[in-house]
Amino acid sequence: MAHKPSAPVANPIEQTGADYLQTHRIPELFHNLSASLVYNKPEDPKAFMIDYLEQLKKARITGEALPSLVQDTDLTSIFRMLDPAGHGHITYSQYSSTMEALGLINYNTSPPGKDNDRITFETFSQEARKRLNELNSTFSV
Amino acid sequence: MDQTLYPVNISPEFLLYAERNTLFELFQKCISSLLVDRPNDPITYLIDFLKKDADVPRVVILGPPASGRHTIGKLLQKKLNAVLIEAADLLHNIPSKFKDKLPPKPTIHNIPSTLWAQLFEERVKDFECVRRGWILVDFPNNREQALALQGHGIAPRYVVCLEAPDNVLIERAAGKRIDPKTKDIYHITFHVPSSREIQDRLITPEDNSEKAMHLRLKEYRRVKDCYKPVLRTINADQPLNDIFTQIYSYASKKERSIALHTPRIVILGPTGSGRKTVATQISRKYDVPIVSIPTLLKQQIVSKTPLGASIKPYLDRQTLVPDSLLTQIIKDRLNQKDCTTKGWVMIGFPRTREQAESLARTPVMAPTRVFFLDIPLDIALERLTNRALDPVTGDRFHTHERPPPTHNIKQRLAQHPTDDEESVQKRYQTYSVYYDELQDFYSPQGAIHVAADQDAYTVFEAVEAGIVNQLHKE
């Protein structure tokens, strides 16, 4: 039985390049940057990009105000849409489909309140904000 | 977001926005710089990079001795206003941090390649070079130096190699003279200095003997492999001005974009010029949908839509359909998914200047290439009046180009009702009436004229060349 040849070994220089990009989360950075560009379509994309990067830089130091397409007011509006009667909580399936729709991969699948199928607004916005921050801090600390 | 779950619908407006602002190239430059320099703080690095990013020239001029590199280098420097870096100059201005690494009596030849690369890197990162661009003359001289340069991240955008047969070079070398005051290069036969004063000053440079030349030529040939993708070879055995214009146009051209490019092609021409033929060939080869306005209109009529009913009388009388009816149909078609993602080839529109203007106004619909298929009336007549269709098999024939093989087929051939001489002339006239204004409108944007009275394959080749090459705007 022939022994399968192993996958071609990446060129060592290529490998360290890929490592560098991964460590500094460059692909995510450009992903978020492009999303912002698609949404805002600024007249001067270079200036916009510089702004975004400066905001990111400041946020890295202060720990707050990361550039993000989803703001806290958006989270409030979203929750209000899911809970029009104003009960103050949503079902777990509402929670999970919203998290997916927001693009928050790897969100917390066992938030408090899952057992009785009542996710409060606080839980929802906390989990969403936590995950958003993780996705938006595209720098290695 | 997993694309299979939520198919991402990027609006065509964004694609146009990205194309217009060359976002793809910008991102590519950012990432390649990051990979070359690997800064520890990529965010600050990117901010600085974006702030100073400019499209400066980065040229390397190579050539065997006596091919005219320094002469060309000087001319380019004046024209492009970039910084000229010659190996000899670098030797005279070595920054102190390198001084102890030098061999005792440094000349051009005994400095190790890695040290050269460092010297150049230092020079190239200088503020002036970053701002104005640089022109490197006569370096690298051998493969080692070339690789060392690349290793330090110095990647020229254009490398020009001046080539000439050895005997021409040797002859030139014999007649070379230098003006010691200005360091300008002259030649006793080909490039005589303008004033008597300069002529008297000239001295003969050393190291141009035939034997030395042969040696240098041999070394030089090996360098070329390193720069294949950006290399351009120019024949040095031409008058200086010719060489210079070639290099200048090459060096000042913007890099060919490898961004995803949706072709939006308009093919204009009178009846019988072969627009549909060309469009079909393009569509088949590049997988681009054909948008044939006449066909769109006929579809409306056949589907018995109210719009179709209003269009019918115009088509029956063979006059132009008014723009108000046309615009919505065309817009709808062009906004369909296959057109927004793959681009389109359009025939049968625009026919007038207003139509051309309205097409240009909507960003998603503005064409990127416009072709005029030019053909004289008599050839168009010949093509159309002699063609016929076999209603049984659907084969098309032409009495001269492709005559029907048997008598039976010939008997049953039918001619299209609008292919008679009078109708053809009328349609040709309609086109001619608006030809001038269309020409005026599209010429400044780089419209391409193709002689359409040739065979289909030749015409297609010409059109393809127009699509693939960059536009020459007036």
Side-chain angles (χ1 to χ4, degrees):
Chain A
M1 190 138 69
H3 135 87
K4 250 183 169 172
S6 52
V9 177
N11 180 333
I13 301 201
E14 251 178 62
Q15 198 50 41
T16 42
D19 284 342
Y20 172 81
L21 294 180
Q22 278 309 103
T23 333
H24 291 274
R25 302 187 63 187
I26 306 291
E28 289 104 315
L29 171 61
F30 277 89
H31 177 95
N32 291 341
L33 203 44
S34 319
S36 228
L37 279 170
V38 173
Y39 182 70
N40 291 301
K41 286 208 279 278
E43 276 299 319
D44 184 355
K46 242 191 241 173
F48 181 85
M49 281 168 72
I50 293 180
D51 257 352
Y52 182 99
L53 290 167
E54 306 232 321
Q55 202 186 342
L56 193 61
K57 194 168 157 189
K58 217 190 291 177
R60 181 172 62 182
I61 306 174
T62 63
E64 20 183 85
L66 279 168
S68 173
L69 279 178
V70 182
Q71 301 297 332
D72 287 335
T73 45
D74 298 319
L75 291 176
T76 319
S77 319
I78 294 175
F79 194 86
R80 220 177 279 144
M81 283 196 288
L82 295 169
D83 176 29
H87 295 301
H89 51 82
I90 53 177
T91 66
Y92 178 74
S93 65
Q94 279 178 307
Y95 164 81
S96 65
S97 40
T98 309
M99 294 298 266
E100 274 173 32
L102 285 173
L104 306 175
I105 41 175
N106 299 332
Y107 60 90
N108 179 5
T109 46
S110 313
K114 180 177 180 183
D115 309 324
N116 50 353
D117 205 23
R118 284 175 183 222
I119 314 284
T120 62
F121 173 67
E122 283 78 26
T123 315
F124 167 72
S125 58
Q126 266 172 15
E127 292 296 334
R129 182 44 59 199
K130 190 169 69 168
R131 195 64 194 118
L132 277 166
N133 282 350
E134 283 167 19
L135 288 171
N136 281 319
S137 19
T138 49
F139 38 78
S140 61
V141 186
Chain B
M1 276 221 291
D2 185 351
Q3 273 210 312
T4 58
L5 292 180
Y6 296 94
V8 178
N9 253 331
I10 304 206
S11 67
E13 277 90 26
F14 182 68
L15 287 174
L16 268 159
Y17 171 82
E19 227 177 274
R20 212 181 334 140
N21 290 309
T22 62
L23 283 186
F24 183 82
E25 284 88 348
L26 189 55
F27 277 22
Q28 207 191 18
K29 271 197 259 194
C30 287
I31 300 193
S32 40
S33 280
L34 277 177
L35 281 174
V36 167
D37 289 328
R38 313 261 175 95
N40 269 326
D41 181 0
I43 300 186
T44 316
Y45 177 88
L46 279 177
I47 296 179
D48 290 334
F49 180 79
L50 287 173
K51 282 191 178 154
K52 68 174 153 162
D53 174 55
D55 250 330
V56 283
R58 296 194 303 275
V59 186
V60 166
I61 306 186
L62 300 174
S67 51
R69 303 150 292 173
H70 297 277
T71 325
I72 296 285
K74 285 205 160 53
L75 283 177
L76 258 185
Q77 186 237 357
K78 283 199 207 109
K79 204 61 192 281
L80 293 175
N81 194 27
V83 176
L84 182 63
I85 308 178
E86 288 181 0
D89 296 333
L90 221 57
L91 258 188
H92 293 140
N93 300 326
I94 298 186
S96 38
K97 64 178 169 186
F98 292 118
K99 284 235 165 78
D100 43 347
K101 295 199 194 159
L102 289 176
K105 284 178 80 185
T107 68
I108 299 196
H109 302 287
N110 62 3
I111 299 191
S113 313
T114 40
L115 187 54
W116 266 127
Q118 284 178 316
L119 286 172
F120 270 105
E121 189 184 0
E122 193 66 32
R123 184 79 183 86
V124 158
K125 291 208 155 83
D126 175 50
F127 184 64
E128 275 305 299
C129 287
V130 169
R131 203 168 60 87
R132 288 161 43 194
W134 42 263
I135 304 173
L136 231 60
V137 173
D138 200 24
F139 186 86
N141 292 101
N142 56 48
R143 198 176 154 78
E144 258 181 72
Q145 293 175 348
L147 292 176
L149 262 192
Q150 282 184 333
H152 278 256
I154 301 180
R157 253 206 275 143
Y158 305 107
V159 176
V160 173
C161 270
L162 298 170
E163 278 292 345
D166 286 0
N167 53 337
V168 170
L169 296 174
I170 295 182
E171 197 194 305
R172 273 197 197 173
K176 179 171 167 181
R177 299 284 179 270
I178 300 191
D179 176 356
K181 213 155 142 210
T182 63
K183 298 270 192 295
D184 280 336
I185 305 168
Y186 295 99
H187 193 277
I188 46 178
T189 329
F190 300 121
H191 189 202
V192 183
S194 37
S195 79
R196 183 85 215 181
E197 201 191 310
I198 305 183
Q199 264 183 15
D200 288 337
R201 288 206 296 253
L202 294 183
I203 56 170
T204 316
E206 30 173 273
D207 202 20
N208 273 6
S209 70
E210 208 172 307
K211 205 164 83 159
M213 285 291 291
H214 274 294
L215 276 175
R216 287 159 72 184
L217 282 166
K218 224 168 63 163
E219 259 308 316
Y220 158 76
R221 308 263 178 231
R222 294 182 66 217
V223 178
K224 291 171 66 174
D225 295 331
C226 299
Y227 288 119
K228 271 222 196 80
V230 282
L231 193 77
R232 183 88 194 284
T233 309
I234 302 214
N235 181 9
D237 191 13
Q238 298 174 66
L240 183 63
N241 278 325
D242 289 354
I243 303 182
F244 179 68
T245 9
Q246 279 184 25
I247 299 185
Y248 179 62
S249 61
Y250 176 56
S252 46
K253 234 182 355 191
K254 281 200 155 247
E255 275 171 75
R256 168 85 63 92
S257 162
I258 57 175
L260 306 169
H261 159 198
T262 36
R264 292 187 292 275
I265 306 171
V266 164
I267 307 210
L268 302 170
T271 180
S273 52
R275 292 157 296 167
K276 215 187 312 176
T277 318
V278 171
T280 322
Q281 285 167 314
I282 298 179
S283 168
R284 218 180 291 143
K285 184 161 180 187
Y286 295 101
D287 190 24
V288 176
I290 302 184
V291 175
S292 159
I293 307 306
T295 313
L296 281 182
L297 298 178
K298 287 179 198 150
Q299 281 174 345
Q300 289 286 330
I301 298 180
V302 165
S303 339
K304 298 217 168 63
T305 64
L307 205 50
S310 11
I311 296 174
K312 194 165 188 319
Y314 294 98
L315 283 189
D316 285 340
R317 274 182 289 151
Q318 288 197 34
T319 51
L320 290 180
V321 179
D323 295 355
S324 46
L325 296 172
L326 283 177
T327 357
Q328 198 48 46
I329 301 181
I330 300 181
K331 226 190 245 183
D332 288 340
R333 179 65 183 97
L334 292 185
N335 272 331
Q336 283 178 347
K337 199 129 187 262
D338 60 347
C339 284
T340 54
T341 46
K342 296 198 221 170
W344 39 260
V345 179
M346 185 183 280
I347 48 179
F349 188 89
R351 289 201 204 264
T352 68
R353 194 192 174 98
E354 275 107 52
Q355 294 180 346
E357 283 173 356
S358 76
L359 194 68
R361 256 198 301 268
T362 324
V364 251
M365 304 193 331
T368 53
R369 289 289 184 282
V370 175
F371 290 95
F372 282 95
L373 298 182
D374 297 323
I375 192 172
L377 173 59
D378 46 354
I379 306 215
L381 266 175
E382 210 257 37
R383 278 189 184 173
L384 295 177
T385 52
N386 285 322
R387 74 175 179 191
L389 173 72
D390 177 0
V392 173
T393 60
D395 279 335
R396 305 192 105 99
F397 296 100
H398 189 278
T399 41
H400 302 313
E401 305 290 322
R402 202 181 157 229
T406 73
H407 190 63
N408 278 340
I409 299 184
K410 191 162 177 205
Q411 294 284 65
R412 48 176 207 243
L413 285 184
Q415 200 189 36
H416 195 284
T418 56
D419 271 354
D420 61 288
E421 196 168 318
E422 204 187 303
S423 310
V424 171
Q425 273 185 339
K426 188 169 173 211
R427 289 205 302 274
Y428 191 93
Q429 282 307 97
T430 322
Y431 173 78
S432 311
V433 163
Y434 293 105
Y435 174 75
D436 285 327
E437 55 181 58
L438 282 175
Q439 240 279 71
D440 280 336
F441 184 74
Y442 280 123
S443 269
Q445 299 172 29
I448 303 168
H449 285 262
V450 173
D453 50 357
Q454 309 166 75
D455 64 283
Y457 189 64
T458 318
V459 175
F460 178 58
E461 274 191 331
V463 170
E464 231 188 328
I467 298 177
V468 166
N469 293 332
Q470 292 188 319
L471 279 181
H472 292 287
K473 301 206 179 152
E474 275 171 27

